[in-house]
Amino acid sequence: MFIQQRRYWIRLHEKGEKEHTMPCHHTLEGYVTEWLETSGLKDELKAPLFPTIRRESGRGAGELTRTPMNQSDAYERVRRHGLSEATGTNIGIHSMRGTGITTNLKNGGALEKAAHMANHSLTRTTQLYDRRSDDVSLDEVKRILI
């Protein structure tokens, strides 16, 4: 995360060693700045945003390292915290991407802009994540006469 033109931006490292940079949503900005304060990483510009935790026993156990969390560990954290009793839903990378794209489109966002934010070269790929057609209202269900 870095500041550009008085705005926080986030640099994402994606699969295939692709790098994608975009402005930070204000809610994400709040969470990340709180994390940086709490973790003590605020003044360490070269530290990874999500480092691993020292696991061995003894002195230093439980402290943050300066080694970045690898992709599979990050995914496992997301998956584990997504198994919320409140939702009962498995959450993963693609479901979060789908939620972001769908929410953007529901709120009037353009498909081309959603594709750019998702770092898709084709809008057809972005359309695969569009879940707007999954919404079925109770009124529609009541139209079925049995």
Side-chain angles (χ1 to χ4, degrees):
M1 196 163 97
F2 60 97
I3 297 177
Q4 179 176 309
Q5 299 172 347
R6 296 185 301 172
R7 182 85 216 148
Y8 277 100
W9 287 65
I10 194 148
R11 182 174 296 116
L12 306 167
H13 299 273
E14 299 180 352
K15 67 180 180 183
E17 297 184 21
K18 290 199 296 189
E19 194 175 279
H20 184 58
T21 305
M22 59 186 290
C24 226
H25 188 281
H26 62 277
T27 304
L28 176 62
E29 182 181 314
Y31 285 132
V32 172
T33 53
E34 182 180 346
W35 160 248
L36 291 172
E37 286 283 339
T38 305
S39 66
L41 297 171
K42 179 182 176 193
D43 297 321
E44 294 187 45
L45 299 177
K46 298 291 184 183
L49 185 57
F50 300 110
T52 58
I53 298 172
R54 194 174 321 282
R55 294 286 183 202
E56 67 266 5
S57 61
R59 203 166 105 109
E63 291 179 359
L64 295 177
T65 68
R66 294 307 176 257
T67 304
M69 186 182 297
N70 66 40
Q71 184 179 358
S72 61
D73 287 343
Y75 176 76
E76 179 58 26
R77 290 266 168 115
V78 168
R79 191 194 65 73
R80 191 173 340 134
H81 289 288
L83 294 173
S84 165
E85 289 181 23
T87 63
T89 306
N90 287 331
I91 296 175
I93 303 306
H94 293 288
S95 63
M96 288 191 300
R97 183 175 281 249
T99 299
I101 289 170
T102 302
T103 303
N104 176 272
L105 295 172
K106 279 183 174 180
N107 289 324
L111 181 63
E112 294 77 17
K113 293 290 185 181
H116 179 71
M117 287 189 289
N119 207 17
H120 292 152
S121 54
L122 301 172
T123 55
R124 188 171 53 226
T125 305
T126 309
Q127 287 173 314
L128 296 173
Y129 290 95
D130 181 3
R131 310 270 191 266
R132 290 179 295 177
S133 64
D134 292 354
D135 292 342
V136 177
S137 71
L138 181 57
D139 289 338
E140 291 175 73
V141 173
K142 286 181 179 180
R143 292 175 199 236
I144 302 171
L145 300 174
I146 300 176

